[in-house]
């Protein structure tokens, strides 16, 4: 099979998680940049990346890269790309998204229009036609320009990968599935450890954790745009990847994952979403306030996305809420670890302790902080000690 350059965008600050996932799948990383990781892979890799990767929004197939500072240059260099290798004569093609940072070409609509014209001219010459019906498979193009460097890709995913298919019900300000998975991967939590989210909302942290514990690939029950690109990716690639994903699942795994929320409707939504994901038996959801959080177990994890006052009237409640989370609950749990993502600037102050680590993460355009309070490591199990 031919090798492609594949690009996986991710949240700024979480590139290391993306890199680890790709390496674990067995592919070679070729570049790590702000907000994206590039790797080499064949047609099968496109299927595997879409089905197995937890932390990327989509899988992009790189068509080409070049420098352009004028629209004439953009047109000619776009036209020079081998579009006929990817887009058949009846394919529907358009520039779905263009973004430009620190570049002379900065108008997304002009970039999109000029590049579409260049693609048409190239394909007219190659297919010896004057008109394209564009009545079959879709080939959306995504373009990013950074410091006059143009990267041109085809989107193999379609609907963003954070849409696993299970979250039919949401509460206000939900965390995305891809971000929740990446943050869980940033912690030392493993499937056999206790995990509690006292502000579980629609259940995303708990559901992503349960899917990880059960080794359930996040994309195994959804479809992807490139499944119709049979001239590029044989149907067998998707079939084999899905069968591999099914073979890896272990729904008999024992877990201790709990989600609490004061909002009765949120708890109901979380249960329904977990059922749709097929992991409802691995999670215990309950209507309960953060002040009531207690657990008899040791060395557990609190991983959560508390309210941060999206509306002005909510801000007055935040000091007491964060004091409760950091002092009255976490403070009593001794051996536990606490991981909090929030946009609330005074979180550390009211939790009453400075985080061991504090990572800045952009959740869309919103600047958030991931406060990390790792607890002590549990003692090694007897069997592990005997094997050493």
């Amino acid at each position: 099979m031919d090798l492609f350059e594949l690009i996986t965008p991710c949240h700024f600050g979480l590139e290391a998680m993306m890199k680890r996932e790709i390496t674990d799948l067995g592919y070679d990383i070729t570049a790590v940049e702000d907000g994206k990781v590039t790797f080499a892979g064949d047609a099968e890799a496109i299927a595997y990346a879409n089905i197995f990767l937890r932390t990327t929004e989509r899988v992009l197939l790189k068509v080409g890269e070049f420098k352009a500072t004028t629209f004439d240059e953009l047109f000619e260099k776009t036209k020079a790309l081998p579009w006929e290798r990817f887009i058949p004569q009846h394919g529907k093609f358009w520039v779905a998204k263009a973004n430009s940072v620190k570049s002379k070409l900065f108008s997304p609509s002009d970039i999109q229009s000029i590049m579409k014209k260049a693609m048409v001219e190239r394909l007219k010459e190659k297919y010896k036609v004057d008109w394209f019906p564009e009545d079959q498979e879709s080939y959306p193009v995504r373009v990013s320009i950074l410091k006059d460097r143009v990267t041109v890709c085809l989107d193999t995913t379609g609907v963003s990968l954070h849409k696993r298919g299970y979250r039919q019900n949401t509460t206000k300000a939900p965390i995305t599935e891809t971000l929740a998975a990446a943050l869980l991967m940033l912690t030392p939590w493993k499937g056999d450890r206790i995990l509690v989210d006292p502000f579980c909302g629609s259940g995303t942290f708990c559901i992503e954790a349960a899917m990880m514990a059960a080794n359930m690939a996040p994309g195994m029950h959804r479809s992807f745009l490139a499944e119709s690109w049979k001239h590029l990716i044989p149907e067998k690639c998707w079939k084999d990847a899905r069968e591999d994903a099914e073979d890896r699942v272990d729904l008999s795994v024992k877990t201790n994952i709990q989600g609490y929320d004061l909002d009765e409707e949120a708890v109901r939504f979380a249960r329904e979403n977990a059922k749709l994901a097929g992991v409802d038996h691995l999670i215990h959801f309950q209507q309960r306030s953060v002040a009531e959080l207690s657990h008899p177990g040791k060395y557990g994890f609190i991983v959560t996305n508390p309210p941060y006052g999206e509306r002005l009237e909510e801000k007055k409640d935040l000091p007491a809420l964060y004091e409760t989370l950091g002092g009255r609950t976490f403070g009593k749990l001794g051996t536990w670890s606490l991981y909090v993502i929030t946009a609330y600037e005074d979180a550390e102050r009211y939790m009453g302790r400075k985080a061991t680590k504090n990572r800045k993460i952009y959740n869309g355009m919103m600047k958030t902080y991931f406060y990390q309070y790792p607890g002590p490591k549990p003692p090694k199990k007897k069997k592990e000690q005997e094997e050493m």
Side-chain angles (χ1 to χ4, degrees):
M1 287 188 186
D2 291 341
L3 272 184
F4 303 106
E5 269 196 286
L6 303 174
I7 298 175
T8 49
C10 61
H11 288 274
F12 282 89
L14 297 175
E15 295 83 5
M17 302 301 101
M18 185 80 269
K19 181 181 176 183
R20 185 204 302 174
E21 280 203 280
I22 293 165
T23 303
D24 287 347
L25 278 180
Y27 301 112
D28 294 328
I29 306 291
T30 56
V32 179
E33 301 162 84
D34 287 346
K36 67 179 183 180
V37 177
T38 304
F39 67 102
D42 56 13
E44 186 179 72
I46 295 173
Y48 265 80
N50 273 295
I51 290 170
F52 281 89
L53 294 180
R54 300 182 189 278
T55 62
T56 188
E57 293 296 317
R58 57 189 68 250
V59 180
L60 304 176
L61 193 167
K62 185 173 171 181
V63 178
E65 189 173 25
F66 53 81
K67 185 176 181 180
T69 57
T70 67
F71 284 119
D72 284 344
E73 198 173 13
L74 179 67
F75 179 90
E76 293 301 333
K77 290 185 176 179
T78 300
K79 185 181 175 184
L81 295 175
W83 292 106
E84 66 281 359
R85 179 188 178 194
F86 305 101
I87 302 173
Q89 187 171 334
H90 283 257
K92 179 182 178 182
F93 58 97
W94 73 103
V95 181
K97 186 170 183 180
N99 64 66
S100 177
V101 178
K102 298 178 181 177
S103 300
K104 292 181 177 64
L105 303 179
F106 56 84
S107 166
S109 59
D110 288 337
I111 292 165
Q112 289 169 294
S113 174
I114 285 164
M115 292 187 72
K116 166 75 177 193
K117 289 175 184 174
M119 294 165 67
V120 169
E121 289 305 309
R122 168 82 183 203
L123 293 174
K124 278 167 66 175
E125 291 177 6
K126 294 297 177 179
Y127 291 125
K128 311 297 184 191
V129 296
D130 292 322
W131 178 77
F132 294 98
E134 297 196 55
D135 57 357
Q136 292 186 10
E137 302 84 12
S138 293
Y139 297 84
V141 175
R142 287 184 165 244
V143 182
S144 63
I145 308 179
L146 176 62
K147 297 178 180 178
D148 300 323
R149 195 80 198 162
V150 184
T151 304
V152 186
C153 299
L154 285 169
D155 176 14
T156 73
T157 300
V159 176
S160 172
L161 288 176
H162 80 266
K163 295 194 175 181
R164 321 285 206 213
Y166 67 73
R167 196 165 72 177
Q168 300 300 312
N169 305 291
T170 61
T171 55
K172 61 182 179 181
I175 192 168
T176 66
E177 295 87 329
T178 47
L179 180 55
L183 295 178
L184 285 166
M185 289 167 63
L186 265 177
T187 78
W189 178 81
K190 300 296 178 189
D192 60 348
R193 305 278 296 275
I194 302 165
L195 178 74
V196 176
D197 180 358
F199 302 98
C200 71
S202 51
T204 309
F205 269 130
C206 295
I207 295 169
E208 289 296 316
M211 290 174 69
M212 291 165 124
N215 208 14
M216 183 182 291
M220 62 189 291
H221 295 308
R222 55 157 286 176
S223 60
F224 307 96
L225 190 63
E227 287 185 74
S228 63
W229 302 357
K230 293 182 171 58
H231 65 296
L232 281 177
I233 311 165
E235 194 173 342
K236 187 177 186 301
C237 292
W238 299 99
K239 182 174 179 288
D240 289 349
R242 282 201 171 89
E243 286 180 357
D244 190 4
E246 292 283 355
D247 290 343
R248 298 188 193 196
V249 176
D250 179 9
L251 290 174
S252 67
V253 66
K254 302 298 181 186
T255 60
N256 193 335
I257 301 170
Q258 301 177 24
Y260 308 140
D261 205 286
L262 193 57
D263 185 338
E264 182 181 5
E265 186 179 54
V267 174
R268 179 169 58 83
F269 285 171
R271 287 184 179 133
E272 290 171 0
N273 291 338
K275 188 171 184 180
L276 285 169
V279 294
D280 51 314
H281 66 294
L282 299 177
I283 310 168
H284 173 68
F285 289 112
Q286 185 178 352
Q287 185 184 3
R288 184 191 288 193
S289 74
V290 65
E292 298 174 277
L293 196 162
S294 63
H295 200 290
K298 292 185 176 183
Y299 306 105
F301 288 77
I302 298 172
V303 183
T304 193
N305 176 34
Y308 42 82
E310 300 98 308
R311 295 196 295 267
L312 194 61
E313 63 269 23
E314 295 173 336
K315 288 190 180 295
K316 63 179 175 29
D317 300 325
L318 294 183
L321 185 147
Y322 281 83
E323 281 177 358
T324 301
L325 174 61
R328 289 168 57 189
T329 55
F330 177 57
K332 292 178 182 178
L333 288 169
T335 59
W336 281 48
S337 301
L338 172 65
Y339 294 85
V340 179
I341 182 169
T342 181
Y344 184 44
E345 297 278 354
D346 291 324
E348 275 182 309
R349 174 186 169 193
Y350 288 110
M351 284 195 290
R353 59 191 74 200
K354 188 170 178 60
T356 304
K357 292 181 181 178
N358 177 10
R359 185 183 290 248
K360 187 190 299 181
I361 295 167
Y362 280 90
N363 185 7
M365 297 303 292
M366 181 180 292
K367 182 172 66 174
T368 63
Y369 297 91
F370 190 47
Y371 297 104
Q372 302 168 60
Y373 301 88
K377 292 180 180 179
K380 290 186 178 179
K381 294 176 182 177
K382 188 175 179 182
K383 184 178 179 183
E384 288 178 358
Q385 291 173 333
E386 288 172 352
E387 288 174 352
M388 289 179 67

